Structures are given as C-alpha cells and as structure tokens.
Amino acid sequence: MPSATKKVTVTRKSEGRYVATNARGGQVRLGSGADDDFTPVELLLAAIGGCSSVDVDLVTSRRDEPQQFEVVVSGQRTVDETGGNRLDPVALDFAVHFRDTDEGREAAGLVKRLVKLSRDKECTVARTVASSTQVTFKVDGKTLD
C-alpha cells in the first residue's frame, strides 16, 4: 500500500525556474511564467483537473474508450480582504464523449455520477483546496510564527 504521506521536492534550477521531483523520480518543470514552464497556479489547476479526470476515466474506460476526454479547469485570480492572492472560484468543465454503441452509452451514462462522486468524495486535491486545510511554512525545519 502506498504511503499516506505525500511529498515532492522543489529544486531551483535558475532564477524563476524550478523542478518538482516526486518520490518515484518523476519530474515537472515550473517557473514564474516568463517561459513555457507551468506556473505554480497552473500546476494547481492541473492537479485538480488531473485528480478528477483519473476518478472519471478509470471507471468509464472499463466500458469504452472515450472519443473525447477533456477537462478545462479555470480559476479567477482575486485579492482577498487581507490583500492576499487566491483563486476563487475554481471551475471544472468536463467534455467526455463516447461512441454511439451499447458500451459507449453505458460509459456516457456514468459520467455525471462519477464527476459528482469525484467532487463530493474522491478527488483529494479538489477536496483539500475546498476545505480549510492548514498549511504550515517552515525554514530549515522550524515553523514560522
């Protein structure tokens, strides 16, 4: 069983450019938005969309291979009452379509229910963002005040 604790390490490569590495050695480039690397906000949106996509895809693709599977994830950048930046609201728009066959219709009939299940229970990323999850910042292992 995989560890319940998840971790990535972000390493600076040059000014405004970083690489995130997971425990399995996978890597994603990210940056400040000055080039084609994903920004941290874009990675957050991709993580929400990817998490929910997996929830829907793993079940529907057992019935039929989708002809189209696209999830557009968007977030409105805003400044809250304290002057802090955030995204609010964040929206996911699923376009998942299958062939007009018995298998395709069966898969298509599951999409709305699976998207709701992902929203309400399964998608760890979206549920974490939607909750009041505590985020602790530390420097050299010591928690900031």
Side-chain angles (χ1 to χ4, degrees):
M1 175 178 221
S3 170
T5 300
K6 306 300 179 193
K7 181 175 97 173
V8 299
T9 301
V10 178
T11 305
R12 181 185 186 269
K13 293 300 180 183
S14 62
E15 183 180 348
R17 300 195 73 201
Y18 312 88
V19 172
T21 305
N22 66 23
R24 297 173 309 284
Q27 296 187 324
V28 176
R29 295 182 336 213
L30 63 146
S32 62
D35 51 31
D36 62 354
D37 292 344
F38 277 81
T39 67
V41 170
E42 291 166 337
L43 284 175
L44 176 65
L45 295 174
I48 294 169
C51 181
S52 199
S53 292
V54 168
D55 292 340
V56 174
D57 187 35
L58 290 180
V59 175
T60 58
S61 63
R62 290 183 198 141
R63 274 82 176 166
D64 195 28
E65 184 67 20
Q67 290 185 307
Q68 178 188 13
F69 195 116
E70 183 175 88
V71 182
V72 176
V73 187
S74 59
Q76 180 66 44
R77 186 172 176 190
T78 187
V79 178
D80 67 21
E81 60 280 351
T82 69
N85 295 313
R86 59 180 291 162
L87 295 178
D88 192 10
V90 172
L92 287 78
D93 187 3
F94 284 77
V96 183
H97 302 284
F98 298 88
R99 299 173 301 147
D100 188 18
T101 63
D102 289 343
E103 296 86 0
R105 287 186 291 277
E106 181 183 359
L110 295 171
V111 172
K112 284 184 183 178
R113 182 171 66 85
L114 291 168
V115 170
K116 286 179 184 178
L117 186 61
S118 181
R119 177 196 67 193
D120 296 341
K121 184 177 179 185
E122 298 297 331
C123 180
T124 303
V125 180
R127 292 182 50 76
T128 299
V129 170
S131 74
S132 297
T133 300
Q134 178 180 340
V135 178
T136 303
F137 284 78
K138 299 178 181 183
V139 175
D140 294 327
K142 295 178 183 164
T143 303
L144 295 176
D145 296 333

